[in-house]
Amino acid sequence: MTDTSLNLAASQILNALANNELRPVVRTFFDQATFTASHVVHDPSTKSAAIIDSVLDYYPASGRTSFSSAQNIVSYVKENDLHVEWQLETHAHADHLSAAPWLQEQLGGKLGIGAQIITVQEVFGKIFNADTRFARDGSQFDKLFHDGDQFRIGNLNVTVLHVPGHTPADMAFVIGDAAFIGDTLFMPDYGTARADFPGGNATTLFRSIRRLLSLPGKTRVFLCHDYKAEGRDQFAWETTIEAERAHNIHVHDGITEENFVKMRTNRDATLNLPTLIMPSVQVNIRGGHMPEPDDNGTSYIKIPVNKL
Ligand SMILES: [Fe+2]
């Protein structure tokens, strides 16, 4: 079976590897509170840029937010005179809140996420018993991406791949020779993302990962998270497809789907839910906006008891 979207991404990557002008500059901002890597990607020839997976600081004890992480991104964008065209989310994150709406106010850019966010909104809309003011049609976002969609950031070509499994809506944004793969693979010494959230599926995740691993070996790969594997004392968020194929402890070449699914399912059963899953999900399925306020004007984050 031919995989047209994957072929489009692969030829774009090869083209960019052969022509430096088609390769993006990437600057990463790592949030140690949630182990999240936010990336600012830009075209050096036009200074057009995208911000991928931004973080809004959230203090669960007080319910307060702050913009200090996001402010670092604003400062970098301004210092380098970049024009932000996109705020991209690889998926609706369960471990940190998105700062996309605030960054849009500061810097502009359209907010994009995978079209399957509608499924995620449906699932979590039910879990949190959201009322009818919560639209489950993806309308909180400016653009809903499908597998194989292509667009440009300045002169850089972008191909979008649907890589579900961690959640139904995960997308990889392949920009020039750089793939921003969200929560699919982690660094080779750490492995892969969990697949046990509502809507997650380990078999689907394995197939998405194998698809990513068939991109050209020299593809630069940028991750959404790092947790420092045992024996490593620095956070890391960049690798390559060939390094993942050779060394990824969960999915290196030769590991079968059956073995992966068994390993992933057993490991997921031992993991606690992320500390910020309740606020993160409720905010991120709304495109980074707080839940619709109560009649006193205050937004509340709900906690369903004995449900997750
Ligand atoms: Fe995630």
Side-chain angles (χ1 to χ4, degrees):
M1 210 174 71
T2 53
D3 186 332
T4 315
S5 313
L6 195 71
N7 293 342
L8 287 171
S11 62
Q12 172 197 302
I13 290 164
L14 292 174
N15 210 10
L17 286 168
N19 181 352
N20 258 340
E21 286 176 10
L22 299 175
R23 302 182 67 191
V25 173
V26 182
R27 168 70 195 271
T28 299
F29 294 82
F30 193 78
D31 175 44
Q32 294 214 20
T34 63
F35 307 101
T36 303
S38 304
H39 308 287
V40 181
V41 190
H42 81 267
D43 169 20
S45 59
T46 62
K47 300 213 168 206
S48 296
I51 298 170
I52 303 178
D53 292 330
S54 61
V55 173
L56 174 70
D57 305 306
Y58 180 79
Y59 305 94
S62 58
R64 287 204 164 265
T65 60
S66 95
F67 302 108
S68 57
S69 294
Q71 182 58 52
N72 292 333
I73 292 180
V74 172
S75 304
Y76 170 79
V77 164
K78 290 192 169 161
E79 276 159 24
N80 290 279
D81 198 22
L82 307 181
H83 321 294
V84 176
E85 295 182 1
W86 288 96
Q87 308 275 349
L88 300 173
E89 300 285 349
T90 55
H91 62 296
H93 308 276
D95 52 16
H96 68 272
L97 285 68
S98 166
W102 186 76
L103 285 170
Q104 275 185 303
E105 277 171 31
Q106 309 300 312
L107 302 169
K110 284 176 283 191
L111 176 58
I113 199 164
Q116 288 299 317
I117 187 67
I118 290 167
T119 310
V120 179
Q121 290 178 327
E122 198 57 54
V123 168
F124 282 103
K126 276 203 188 94
I127 289 172
F128 288 102
N129 198 28
D131 67 30
T132 52
R133 290 176 298 167
F134 172 52
R136 290 143 169 95
D137 58 1
S139 56
Q140 300 86 345
F141 299 85
D142 302 311
K143 173 75 183 173
L144 299 181
F145 290 109
H146 294 89
D147 189 67
D149 279 354
Q150 293 194 298
F151 64 98
R152 283 180 150 226
I153 298 172
N155 295 324
L156 302 175
N157 297 306
V158 186
T159 304
V160 188
L161 299 174
H162 184 212
V163 288
H166 170 64
T167 80
D170 281 58
M171 303 307 273
F173 296 99
V174 182
I175 306 176
D177 66 317
F180 299 85
I181 62 168
D183 289 5
T184 49
L185 293 158
F186 293 138
M187 289 302 283
D189 58 5
Y190 199 86
T192 56
R194 66 195 296 172
D196 61 334
F197 292 151
N201 183 301
T203 304
T204 311
L205 178 62
F206 183 80
R207 291 176 187 173
S208 292
I209 287 172
R210 288 313 312 179
R211 203 166 166 236
L212 286 173
L213 291 179
S214 66
L215 290 170
K218 302 278 182 230
T219 306
R220 286 186 286 165
V221 172
F222 291 89
L223 315 175
C224 184
H225 292 292
D226 185 53
Y227 306 93
K228 282 185 196 165
E230 240 178 80
R232 171 156 61 82
D233 54 11
Q234 303 263 8
F235 288 111
W237 45 77
E238 181 178 352
T239 180
T240 60
I241 291 294
E242 62 192 1
E244 295 281 17
R245 286 183 66 158
H247 305 299
N248 188 292
I249 55 165
H250 294 167
V251 282
H252 62 75
D253 285 355
I255 291 192
T256 63
E257 180 172 299
E258 196 190 344
N259 284 344
F260 173 80
V261 170
K262 205 184 292 166
M263 178 285 303
R264 191 66 265 172
T265 309
N266 290 341
R267 184 169 156 76
D268 287 349
T270 70
L271 300 176
N272 291 323
L273 287 177
T275 314
L276 297 184
I277 189 170
M278 300 295 181
S280 300
V281 168
Q282 289 172 80
V283 168
N284 294 338
I285 58 177
R286 292 173 167 86
H289 293 280
M290 292 296 150
E292 303 72 24
D294 270 17
D295 55 13
N296 63 358
T298 302
S299 286
Y300 291 83
I301 303 281
K302 283 187 185 176
I303 298 182
V305 176
N306 293 331
K307 191 121 183 169
L308 279 182

PDB file of all heavy atoms in Angstrom, residues 105-136:
ATOM      1  N   GLU A 105      -2.352  36.670  21.458  1.00  0.00           N
ATOM      2  CA  GLU A 105      -2.553  38.103  21.761  1.00  0.00           C
ATOM      3  C   GLU A 105      -1.257  38.882  21.636  1.00  0.00           C
ATOM      4  O   GLU A 105      -1.236  40.013  21.170  1.00  0.00           O
ATOM      5  CB  GLU A 105      -3.050  38.276  23.203  1.00  0.00           C
ATOM      6  CG  GLU A 105      -4.532  38.088  23.393  1.00  0.00           C
ATOM      7  CD  GLU A 105      -4.864  38.073  24.889  1.00  0.00           C
ATOM      8  OE1 GLU A 105      -4.161  38.740  25.682  1.00  0.00           O
ATOM      9  OE2 GLU A 105      -5.811  37.346  25.254  1.00  0.00           O
ATOM     10  N   GLN A 106      -0.150  38.276  22.102  1.00  0.00           N
ATOM     11  CA  GLN A 106       1.144  38.978  22.108  1.00  0.00           C
ATOM     12  C   GLN A 106       1.777  39.028  20.726  1.00  0.00           C
ATOM     13  O   GLN A 106       2.399  40.013  20.352  1.00  0.00           O
ATOM     14  CB  GLN A 106       2.143  38.283  23.054  1.00  0.00           C
ATOM     15  CG  GLN A 106       1.646  38.019  24.447  1.00  0.00           C
ATOM     16  CD  GLN A 106       1.249  39.281  25.180  1.00  0.00           C
ATOM     17  OE1 GLN A 106       1.995  40.255  25.194  1.00  0.00           O
ATOM     18  NE2 GLN A 106       0.066  39.287  25.739  1.00  0.00           N
ATOM     19  N   LEU A 107       1.650  37.918  19.982  1.00  0.00           N
ATOM     20  CA  LEU A 107       2.479  37.742  18.785  1.00  0.00           C
ATOM     21  C   LEU A 107       1.697  37.403  17.527  1.00  0.00           C
ATOM     22  O   LEU A 107       2.255  37.393  16.434  1.00  0.00           O
ATOM     23  CB  LEU A 107       3.493  36.597  19.022  1.00  0.00           C
ATOM     24  CG  LEU A 107       4.447  36.738  20.205  1.00  0.00           C
ATOM     25  CD1 LEU A 107       5.175  35.420  20.455  1.00  0.00           C
ATOM     26  CD2 LEU A 107       5.459  37.859  19.955  1.00  0.00           C
ATOM     27  N   GLY A 108       0.423  37.070  17.677  1.00  0.00           N
ATOM     28  CA  GLY A 108      -0.386  36.665  16.520  1.00  0.00           C
ATOM     29  C   GLY A 108      -0.187  35.198  16.175  1.00  0.00           C
ATOM     30  O   GLY A 108       0.367  34.423  16.952  1.00  0.00           O
ATOM     31  N   GLY A 109      -0.635  34.809  14.993  1.00  0.00           N
ATOM     32  CA  GLY A 109      -0.517  33.422  14.544  1.00  0.00           C
ATOM     33  C   GLY A 109      -1.826  32.677  14.698  1.00  0.00           C
ATOM     34  O   GLY A 109      -2.570  32.878  15.657  1.00  0.00           O
ATOM     35  N   LYS A 110      -2.096  31.828  13.726  1.00  0.00           N
ATOM     36  CA  LYS A 110      -3.317  31.003  13.773  1.00  0.00           C
ATOM     37  C   LYS A 110      -3.066  29.765  14.628  1.00  0.00           C
ATOM     38  O   LYS A 110      -1.990  29.185  14.586  1.00  0.00           O
ATOM     39  CB  LYS A 110      -3.702  30.556  12.354  1.00  0.00           C
ATOM     40  CG  LYS A 110      -4.335  31.665  11.531  1.00  0.00           C
ATOM     41  CD  LYS A 110      -4.612  31.208  10.116  1.00  0.00           C
ATOM     42  CE  LYS A 110      -3.341  31.201   9.301  1.00  0.00           C
ATOM     43  NZ  LYS A 110      -3.482  31.017   7.882  1.00  0.00           N
ATOM     44  N   LEU A 111      -4.104  29.343  15.361  1.00  0.00           N
ATOM     45  CA  LEU A 111      -3.974  28.177  16.240  1.00  0.00           C
ATOM     46  C   LEU A 111      -4.439  26.917  15.512  1.00  0.00           C
ATOM     47  O   LEU A 111      -5.577  26.849  15.053  1.00  0.00           O
ATOM     48  CB  LEU A 111      -4.818  28.415  17.507  1.00  0.00           C
ATOM     49  CG  LEU A 111      -4.879  27.267  18.515  1.00  0.00           C
ATOM     50  CD1 LEU A 111      -3.489  26.872  18.996  1.00  0.00           C
ATOM     51  CD2 LEU A 111      -5.748  27.672  19.705  1.00  0.00           C
ATOM     52  N   GLY A 112      -3.538  25.925  15.410  1.00  0.00           N
ATOM     53  CA  GLY A 112      -3.868  24.697  14.687  1.00  0.00           C
ATOM     54  C   GLY A 112      -3.639  23.457  15.521  1.00  0.00           C
ATOM     55  O   GLY A 112      -2.720  23.393  16.345  1.00  0.00           O
ATOM     56  N   ILE A 113      -4.475  22.442  15.287  1.00  0.00           N
ATOM     57  CA  ILE A 113      -4.384  21.146  15.984  1.00  0.00           C
ATOM     58  C   ILE A 113      -4.975  20.086  15.058  1.00  0.00           C
ATOM     59  O   ILE A 113      -5.617  20.432  14.042  1.00  0.00           O
ATOM     60  CB  ILE A 113      -5.137  21.216  17.342  1.00  0.00           C
ATOM     61  CG1 ILE A 113      -4.701  20.093  18.307  1.00  0.00           C
ATOM     62  CG2 ILE A 113      -6.659  21.193  17.126  1.00  0.00           C
ATOM     63  CD1 ILE A 113      -5.099  20.325  19.749  1.00  0.00           C
ATOM     64  N   GLY A 114      -4.802  18.806  15.368  1.00  0.00           N
ATOM     65  CA  GLY A 114      -5.355  17.740  14.534  1.00  0.00           C
ATOM     66  C   GLY A 114      -6.883  17.708  14.566  1.00  0.00           C
ATOM     67  O   GLY A 114      -7.504  17.977  15.601  1.00  0.00           O
ATOM     68  N   ALA A 115      -7.473  17.340  13.431  1.00  0.00           N
ATOM     69  CA  ALA A 115      -8.941  17.347  13.305  1.00  0.00           C
ATOM     70  C   ALA A 115      -9.616  16.394  14.284  1.00  0.00           C
ATOM     71  O   ALA A 115     -10.770  16.607  14.668  1.00  0.00           O
ATOM     72  CB  ALA A 115      -9.326  16.991  11.874  1.00  0.00           C
ATOM     73  N   GLN A 116      -8.879  15.344  14.709  1.00  0.00           N
ATOM     74  CA  GLN A 116      -9.478  14.396  15.657  1.00  0.00           C
ATOM     75  C   GLN A 116      -9.660  14.987  17.050  1.00  0.00           C
ATOM     76  O   GLN A 116     -10.164  14.316  17.956  1.00  0.00           O
ATOM     77  CB  GLN A 116      -8.650  13.113  15.728  1.00  0.00           C
ATOM     78  CG  GLN A 116      -8.773  12.239  14.505  1.00  0.00           C
ATOM     79  CD  GLN A 116     -10.205  11.788  14.289  1.00  0.00           C
ATOM     80  OE1 GLN A 116     -10.911  11.399  15.224  1.00  0.00           O
ATOM     81  NE2 GLN A 116     -10.668  11.868  13.057  1.00  0.00           N
ATOM     82  N   ILE A 117      -9.269  16.258  17.247  1.00  0.00           N
ATOM     83  CA  ILE A 117      -9.551  16.925  18.522  1.00  0.00           C
ATOM     84  C   ILE A 117     -11.040  16.830  18.841  1.00  0.00           C
ATOM     85  O   ILE A 117     -11.447  16.815  20.003  1.00  0.00           O
ATOM     86  CB  ILE A 117      -9.079  18.407  18.491  1.00  0.00           C
ATOM     87  CG1 ILE A 117      -9.207  19.066  19.863  1.00  0.00           C
ATOM     88  CG2 ILE A 117      -9.838  19.220  17.453  1.00  0.00           C
ATOM     89  CD1 ILE A 117      -8.314  18.539  20.923  1.00  0.00           C
ATOM     90  N   ILE A 118     -11.851  16.723  17.796  1.00  0.00           N
ATOM     91  CA  ILE A 118     -13.307  16.613  17.993  1.00  0.00           C
ATOM     92  C   ILE A 118     -13.640  15.356  18.811  1.00  0.00           C
ATOM     93  O   ILE A 118     -14.490  15.392  19.708  1.00  0.00           O
ATOM     94  CB  ILE A 118     -14.005  16.611  16.610  1.00  0.00           C
ATOM     95  CG1 ILE A 118     -13.865  18.006  15.998  1.00  0.00           C
ATOM     96  CG2 ILE A 118     -15.450  16.184  16.700  1.00  0.00           C
ATOM     97  CD1 ILE A 118     -14.224  18.075  14.536  1.00  0.00           C
ATOM     98  N   THR A 119     -12.944  14.252  18.521  1.00  0.00           N
ATOM     99  CA  THR A 119     -13.127  13.014  19.295  1.00  0.00           C
ATOM    100  C   THR A 119     -12.698  13.234  20.744  1.00  0.00           C
ATOM    101  O   THR A 119     -13.373  12.789  21.685  1.00  0.00           O
ATOM    102  CB  THR A 119     -12.269  11.879  18.689  1.00  0.00           C
ATOM    103  OG1 THR A 119     -12.524  11.833  17.289  1.00  0.00           O
ATOM    104  CG2 THR A 119     -12.564  10.543  19.318  1.00  0.00           C
ATOM    105  N   VAL A 120     -11.564  13.912  20.920  1.00  0.00           N
ATOM    106  CA  VAL A 120     -11.045  14.161  22.269  1.00  0.00           C
ATOM    107  C   VAL A 120     -12.024  15.055  23.041  1.00  0.00           C
ATOM    108  O   VAL A 120     -12.281  14.843  24.232  1.00  0.00           O
ATOM    109  CB  VAL A 120      -9.644  14.810  22.184  1.00  0.00           C
ATOM    110  CG1 VAL A 120      -9.083  15.096  23.570  1.00  0.00           C
ATOM    111  CG2 VAL A 120      -8.685  13.900  21.404  1.00  0.00           C
ATOM    112  N   GLN A 121     -12.586  16.050  22.358  1.00  0.00           N
ATOM    113  CA  GLN A 121     -13.569  16.939  23.004  1.00  0.00           C
ATOM    114  C   GLN A 121     -14.815  16.156  23.427  1.00  0.00           C
ATOM    115  O   GLN A 121     -15.381  16.392  24.493  1.00  0.00           O
ATOM    116  CB  GLN A 121     -13.965  18.070  22.043  1.00  0.00           C
ATOM    117  CG  GLN A 121     -12.841  19.072  21.820  1.00  0.00           C
ATOM    118  CD  GLN A 121     -13.210  20.159  20.823  1.00  0.00           C
ATOM    119  OE1 GLN A 121     -13.967  19.914  19.871  1.00  0.00           O
ATOM    120  NE2 GLN A 121     -12.665  21.349  21.020  1.00  0.00           N
ATOM    121  N   GLU A 122     -15.208  15.227  22.577  1.00  0.00           N
ATOM    122  CA  GLU A 122     -16.389  14.403  22.870  1.00  0.00           C
ATOM    123  C   GLU A 122     -16.140  13.551  24.115  1.00  0.00           C
ATOM    124  O   GLU A 122     -16.932  13.537  25.055  1.00  0.00           O
ATOM    125  CB  GLU A 122     -16.663  13.513  21.643  1.00  0.00           C
ATOM    126  CG  GLU A 122     -18.031  12.910  21.564  1.00  0.00           C
ATOM    127  CD  GLU A 122     -19.142  13.957  21.582  1.00  0.00           C
ATOM    128  OE1 GLU A 122     -19.135  14.892  20.748  1.00  0.00           O
ATOM    129  OE2 GLU A 122     -20.017  13.822  22.450  1.00  0.00           O
ATOM    130  N   VAL A 123     -14.979  12.862  24.126  1.00  0.00           N
ATOM    131  CA  VAL A 123     -14.638  11.961  25.244  1.00  0.00           C
ATOM    132  C   VAL A 123     -14.541  12.739  26.561  1.00  0.00           C
ATOM    133  O   VAL A 123     -15.164  12.366  27.563  1.00  0.00           O
ATOM    134  CB  VAL A 123     -13.294  11.239  24.951  1.00  0.00           C
ATOM    135  CG1 VAL A 123     -12.763  10.523  26.190  1.00  0.00           C
ATOM    136  CG2 VAL A 123     -13.461  10.249  23.799  1.00  0.00           C
ATOM    137  N   PHE A 124     -13.767  13.835  26.554  1.00  0.00           N
ATOM    138  CA  PHE A 124     -13.551  14.553  27.814  1.00  0.00           C
ATOM    139  C   PHE A 124     -14.724  15.474  28.158  1.00  0.00           C
ATOM    140  O   PHE A 124     -14.951  15.771  29.336  1.00  0.00           O
ATOM    141  CB  PHE A 124     -12.223  15.303  27.791  1.00  0.00           C
ATOM    142  CG  PHE A 124     -11.051  14.387  28.021  1.00  0.00           C
ATOM    143  CD1 PHE A 124     -10.242  13.983  26.968  1.00  0.00           C
ATOM    144  CD2 PHE A 124     -10.779  13.896  29.294  1.00  0.00           C
ATOM    145  CE1 PHE A 124      -9.173  13.116  27.183  1.00  0.00           C
ATOM    146  CE2 PHE A 124      -9.712  13.032  29.511  1.00  0.00           C
ATOM    147  CZ  PHE A 124      -8.910  12.640  28.448  1.00  0.00           C
ATOM    148  N   GLY A 125     -15.473  15.901  27.154  1.00  0.00           N
ATOM    149  CA  GLY A 125     -16.701  16.654  27.431  1.00  0.00           C
ATOM    150  C   GLY A 125     -17.635  15.819  28.305  1.00  0.00           C
ATOM    151  O   GLY A 125     -18.240  16.314  29.254  1.00  0.00           O
ATOM    152  N   LYS A 126     -17.714  14.527  28.014  1.00  0.00           N
ATOM    153  CA  LYS A 126     -18.544  13.610  28.809  1.00  0.00           C
ATOM    154  C   LYS A 126     -17.947  13.400  30.198  1.00  0.00           C
ATOM    155  O   LYS A 126     -18.646  13.470  31.200  1.00  0.00           O
ATOM    156  CB  LYS A 126     -18.631  12.245  28.105  1.00  0.00           C
ATOM    157  CG  LYS A 126     -19.693  12.186  27.036  1.00  0.00           C
ATOM    158  CD  LYS A 126     -20.133  10.725  26.783  1.00  0.00           C
ATOM    159  CE  LYS A 126     -21.048  10.693  25.570  1.00  0.00           C
ATOM    160  NZ  LYS A 126     -20.301  10.404  24.314  1.00  0.00           N
ATOM    161  N   ILE A 127     -16.632  13.107  30.238  1.00  0.00           N
ATOM    162  CA  ILE A 127     -15.986  12.826  31.530  1.00  0.00           C
ATOM    163  C   ILE A 127     -16.164  14.014  32.488  1.00  0.00           C
ATOM    164  O   ILE A 127     -16.427  13.833  33.670  1.00  0.00           O
ATOM    165  CB  ILE A 127     -14.489  12.485  31.322  1.00  0.00           C
ATOM    166  CG1 ILE A 127     -14.363  11.111  30.654  1.00  0.00           C
ATOM    167  CG2 ILE A 127     -13.718  12.520  32.646  1.00  0.00           C
ATOM    168  CD1 ILE A 127     -12.950  10.735  30.225  1.00  0.00           C
ATOM    169  N   PHE A 128     -16.051  15.234  31.962  1.00  0.00           N
ATOM    170  CA  PHE A 128     -16.153  16.423  32.821  1.00  0.00           C
ATOM    171  C   PHE A 128     -17.568  16.995  32.836  1.00  0.00           C
ATOM    172  O   PHE A 128     -17.802  18.048  33.415  1.00  0.00           O
ATOM    173  CB  PHE A 128     -15.129  17.478  32.393  1.00  0.00           C
ATOM    174  CG  PHE A 128     -13.720  17.086  32.758  1.00  0.00           C
ATOM    175  CD1 PHE A 128     -12.846  16.581  31.802  1.00  0.00           C
ATOM    176  CD2 PHE A 128     -13.277  17.194  34.071  1.00  0.00           C
ATOM    177  CE1 PHE A 128     -11.550  16.202  32.147  1.00  0.00           C
ATOM    178  CE2 PHE A 128     -11.978  16.817  34.419  1.00  0.00           C
ATOM    179  CZ  PHE A 128     -11.114  16.316  33.462  1.00  0.00           C
ATOM    180  N   ASN A 129     -18.495  16.287  32.197  1.00  0.00           N
ATOM    181  CA  ASN A 129     -19.904  16.715  32.160  1.00  0.00           C
ATOM    182  C   ASN A 129     -20.027  18.199  31.783  1.00  0.00           C
ATOM    183  O   ASN A 129     -20.747  18.972  32.422  1.00  0.00           O
ATOM    184  CB  ASN A 129     -20.576  16.433  33.517  1.00  0.00           C
ATOM    185  CG  ASN A 129     -22.089  16.442  33.400  1.00  0.00           C
ATOM    186  OD1 ASN A 129     -22.637  16.142  32.332  1.00  0.00           O
ATOM    187  ND2 ASN A 129     -22.764  16.806  34.469  1.00  0.00           N
ATOM    188  N   ALA A 130     -19.302  18.598  30.738  1.00  0.00           N
ATOM    189  CA  ALA A 130     -19.332  20.001  30.286  1.00  0.00           C
ATOM    190  C   ALA A 130     -20.725  20.330  29.760  1.00  0.00           C
ATOM    191  O   ALA A 130     -21.381  19.479  29.162  1.00  0.00           O
ATOM    192  CB  ALA A 130     -18.290  20.194  29.182  1.00  0.00           C
ATOM    193  N   ASP A 131     -21.157  21.569  29.995  1.00  0.00           N
ATOM    194  CA  ASP A 131     -22.500  21.938  29.529  1.00  0.00           C
ATOM    195  C   ASP A 131     -22.463  22.327  28.043  1.00  0.00           C
ATOM    196  O   ASP A 131     -21.421  22.253  27.390  1.00  0.00           O
ATOM    197  CB  ASP A 131     -23.119  23.011  30.427  1.00  0.00           C
ATOM    198  CG  ASP A 131     -22.387  24.341  30.344  1.00  0.00           C
ATOM    199  OD1 ASP A 131     -21.820  24.663  29.279  1.00  0.00           O
ATOM    200  OD2 ASP A 131     -22.373  25.063  31.369  1.00  0.00           O
ATOM    201  N   THR A 132     -23.596  22.743  27.542  1.00  0.00           N
ATOM    202  CA  THR A 132     -23.712  22.955  26.084  1.00  0.00           C
ATOM    203  C   THR A 132     -22.899  24.161  25.594  1.00  0.00           C
ATOM    204  O   THR A 132     -22.733  24.331  24.393  1.00  0.00           O
ATOM    205  CB  THR A 132     -25.180  23.170  25.685  1.00  0.00           C
ATOM    206  OG1 THR A 132     -25.714  24.203  26.528  1.00  0.00           O
ATOM    207  CG2 THR A 132     -25.989  21.894  25.872  1.00  0.00           C
ATOM    208  N   ARG A 133     -22.371  24.978  26.520  1.00  0.00           N
ATOM    209  CA  ARG A 133     -21.527  26.090  26.066  1.00  0.00           C
ATOM    210  C   ARG A 133     -20.177  25.584  25.541  1.00  0.00           C
ATOM    211  O   ARG A 133     -19.467  26.315  24.870  1.00  0.00           O
ATOM    212  CB  ARG A 133     -21.291  27.092  27.212  1.00  0.00           C
ATOM    213  CG  ARG A 133     -22.544  27.870  27.585  1.00  0.00           C
ATOM    214  CD  ARG A 133     -22.271  28.772  28.770  1.00  0.00           C
ATOM    215  NE  ARG A 133     -21.905  27.989  29.963  1.00  0.00           N
ATOM    216  CZ  ARG A 133     -21.381  28.512  31.070  1.00  0.00           C
ATOM    217  NH1 ARG A 133     -21.147  29.798  31.162  1.00  0.00           N
ATOM    218  NH2 ARG A 133     -21.093  27.736  32.096  1.00  0.00           N
ATOM    219  N   PHE A 134     -19.854  24.352  25.888  1.00  0.00           N
ATOM    220  CA  PHE A 134     -18.597  23.786  25.382  1.00  0.00           C
ATOM    221  C   PHE A 134     -18.853  23.125  24.017  1.00  0.00           C
ATOM    222  O   PHE A 134     -19.454  22.048  23.928  1.00  0.00           O
ATOM    223  CB  PHE A 134     -18.021  22.773  26.374  1.00  0.00           C
ATOM    224  CG  PHE A 134     -16.844  22.010  25.829  1.00  0.00           C
ATOM    225  CD1 PHE A 134     -15.753  22.676  25.268  1.00  0.00           C
ATOM    226  CD2 PHE A 134     -16.815  20.618  25.857  1.00  0.00           C
ATOM    227  CE1 PHE A 134     -14.674  21.968  24.743  1.00  0.00           C
ATOM    228  CE2 PHE A 134     -15.737  19.899  25.342  1.00  0.00           C
ATOM    229  CZ  PHE A 134     -14.670  20.583  24.779  1.00  0.00           C
ATOM    230  N   ALA A 135     -18.393  23.773  22.958  1.00  0.00           N
ATOM    231  CA  ALA A 135     -18.593  23.243  21.603  1.00  0.00           C
ATOM    232  C   ALA A 135     -17.638  22.081  21.367  1.00  0.00           C
ATOM    233  O   ALA A 135     -16.459  22.163  21.707  1.00  0.00           O
ATOM    234  CB  ALA A 135     -18.340  24.350  20.586  1.00  0.00           C
ATOM    235  N   ARG A 136     -18.163  21.014  20.816  1.00  0.00           N
ATOM    236  CA  ARG A 136     -17.336  19.818  20.554  1.00  0.00           C
ATOM    237  C   ARG A 136     -17.076  19.684  19.060  1.00  0.00           C
ATOM    238  O   ARG A 136     -17.099  18.585  18.502  1.00  0.00           O
ATOM    239  CB  ARG A 136     -18.049  18.575  21.091  1.00  0.00           C
ATOM    240  CG  ARG A 136     -18.112  18.501  22.634  1.00  0.00           C
ATOM    241  CD  ARG A 136     -19.435  17.909  23.067  1.00  0.00           C
ATOM    242  NE  ARG A 136     -19.509  17.560  24.484  1.00  0.00           N
ATOM    243  CZ  ARG A 136     -20.016  18.342  25.426  1.00  0.00           C
ATOM    244  NH1 ARG A 136     -20.445  19.561  25.132  1.00  0.00           N
ATOM    245  NH2 ARG A 136     -20.083  17.916  26.678  1.00  0.00           N
TER     246      ARG A 136
END
